[in-house]
Amino acid sequence: MIADRIQAVRERIARAAERAKRDPAEITLIAVSKVKPAEDIRAAYEAGQRDFGESYVQEFQQKAPPLHDLADARFHFIGKLQSNKTRPAAGLFHAIHTVESVKIARRLNDQTQRPLDVFLEVKLSDEEAKSGMAPESVSEVADYVRECENLRLLGLMTMPPWSEDPEAPRPTFRRLRELAESNGIRELSMGMSHDLETAVEEGATYVRVGTAIFGKRVRPQ
Ligand SMILES: *Cc1c(COP(=O)(O)O)cnc(C)c1O
């Protein structure tokens, strides 16, 4: 079941890449396993999946121990990062997609025991609840992260306002790409189960897909 769904998502990515005249190999599929059990991660791993996304530090602290044998799996943190969780997050994850301030970057750089890949989360809508930095702050935070010896600045990340319409986030995805280009940043973490085609057409290099792989979640996020 999980293996078939991963295959279907990979085909969606490949078709969208083809339309955009892009090489699908440039696009990393992150299987978002938040609130799903460790066995689901193992099943996806056995189907060849290597990149996983989690949103809650504490939840993943509990899920991670039985997965230690998945030596080449890569875990991406994609949730809201509270400053009191930077130390465990730096220990558990290979990449943090939600760095939204110099303060969080400084803590990660000070607390990590190994090089950490970093994405800066940008807020491109006026929604109150959305996290992420203002687009105007990207250049300052990017400069700071580039000076951090334990952090590697990979890309920008955004989470557009929820819409059923997969076309709705296109202008947001495009803005993220332009912002990355103007700051000399390569990677773009954008696109989820329902809008990954739009994201791939607009240049996504990491798509974060949960529901389409692991099924509906009970908790809303
Ligand atoms: C949950 C989540 C996803 C995956 O969403 P789906 O709609 O289940 O694919 C992607 N990105 C972030 C930041 C998330 O929190």
Side-chain angles (χ1 to χ4, degrees), residues 32 34 55 78-79 98 157 159 162 191-194 208-212 217 221:
V32 177
K34 63 184 173 196
S55 299
I78 63 169
T98 48
M157 178 274 207
M159 181 99 165
W162 168 258
M192 312 182 3
S193 290
H194 71 298
R208 311 178 306 263
V209 178
T211 311
R217 293 177 294 272
Q221 327 187 22

Side-chain angles (χ1 to χ4, degrees), residues 30-74:
I30 299 175
V32 177
S33 45
K34 63 184 173 196
V35 318
K36 298 293 179 180
E39 302 86 80
D40 285 9
I41 296 176
R42 184 172 296 281
Y45 181 90
E46 281 163 6
Q49 181 62 32
R50 290 295 178 270
D51 290 85
F52 296 92
E54 289 280 339
S55 299
Y56 309 101
V57 173
Q58 235 167 337
E59 184 207 343
F60 191 60
Q61 261 174 324
Q62 286 161 10
K63 259 169 27 178
L67 298 170
H68 274 330
D69 60 312
L70 310 188
D72 59 346
R74 288 175 49 82

Side-chain angles (χ1 to χ4, degrees), residues 125-142:
S125 71
D126 301 328
E127 265 186 311
E128 281 286 320
K130 283 279 173 292
S131 43
M133 69 185 76
E136 300 73 40
S137 305
V138 167
S139 96
E140 181 205 337
V141 184

Side-chain angles (χ1 to χ4, degrees), residues 70-207:
L70 310 188
D72 59 346
R74 288 175 49 82
F75 294 99
H76 300 251
F77 185 74
I78 63 169
K80 171 91 184 160
L81 188 53
Q82 312 288 352
S83 54
N84 64 350
K85 292 280 166 48
T86 48
R87 189 183 299 277
L92 285 164
F93 295 99
H94 300 84
I96 308 285
H97 288 235
T98 48
V99 171
E100 57 178 356
S101 64
V102 164
K103 179 186 172 194
I104 293 288
R106 180 187 301 121
R107 291 180 67 92
L108 289 169
N109 185 55
D110 290 346
Q111 294 171 347
T112 188
Q113 308 291 319
R114 57 178 176 182
L116 259 185
D117 288 343
V118 159
F119 292 73
L120 307 183
E121 182 178 4
V122 189
K123 179 180 143 118
L124 293 170
S125 71
D126 301 328
E127 265 186 311
E128 281 286 320
K130 283 279 173 292
S131 43
M133 69 185 76
E136 300 73 40
S137 305
V138 167
S139 96
E140 181 205 337
V141 184
D143 285 347
Y144 181 82
V145 171
R146 287 184 174 114
E147 295 297 314
C148 289
E149 61 173 343
N150 300 321
L151 305 183
R152 196 160 70 115
L153 179 61
L154 277 199
L156 298 184
M157 178 274 207
T158 200
M159 181 99 165
W162 168 258
S163 166
E164 299 227 316
D165 176 7
E167 276 298 313
R170 188 179 294 278
T172 304
F173 293 155
R174 194 166 293 170
R175 264 190 88 195
L176 194 72
R177 184 184 68 209
E178 290 164 358
L179 197 56
E181 278 166 4
S182 63
N183 283 281
I185 296 172
R186 279 179 69 98
E187 310 293 337
L188 294 172
S189 168
M190 59 191 197
M192 312 182 3
S193 290
H194 71 298
D195 60 11
L196 69 88
E197 284 87 354
T198 311
V200 167
E201 288 164 13
E202 295 301 331
T205 58
Y206 289 78
V207 292

